[in-house]
Amino acid sequence: MPPKYPCKRIDLLFGITITIRAERIEATSTKKGLTVIVRLNLNQYQKGITVDARISSSKYIQYHPKIPKLNYRINPN
């Protein structure tokens, strides 16, 4: 499935730099005073890396409870 946003630079996609967008998000708070912390991960990662079958068994993978297809951790220990 092709990416939803094929643009490689997110700042060009939204017409605003990612730093300014992060600053605006961090300026958000709730009525009770909770604030947002933004961490930008601008690293580029290699595609197509395969995982050893022993590690890919479900006992080593911790899936996020709300978005398991998008967020998970592999703990080989």
Side-chain angles (χ1 to χ4, degrees):
M1 182 162 89
K4 188 172 183 182
Y5 302 108
C7 182
K8 292 188 179 194
R9 289 196 47 204
I10 197 163
D11 57 332
L12 295 177
L13 177 66
F14 294 110
I16 190 168
T17 67
I18 192 74
T19 305
I20 292 172
R21 185 164 293 276
E23 289 171 359
R24 289 182 181 174
I25 293 170
E26 278 193 331
T28 304
S29 64
T30 66
K31 290 179 183 178
K32 295 197 178 209
L34 297 175
T35 58
V36 176
I37 298 173
V38 176
R39 281 188 330 191
L40 298 176
N41 181 354
L42 302 176
N43 296 330
Q44 292 185 6
Y45 295 94
Q46 182 181 355
K47 295 179 182 179
I49 298 174
T50 57
V51 178
D52 186 297
R54 292 175 293 150
I55 293 174
S56 65
S57 75
S58 62
K59 72 178 184 177
Y60 295 110
I61 300 177
Q62 298 171 333
Y63 294 98
H64 188 278
K66 293 185 180 178
I67 50 172
K69 289 184 179 180
L70 300 176
N71 196 356
Y72 57 88
R73 290 183 188 181
I74 299 175
N75 185 1
N77 297 325

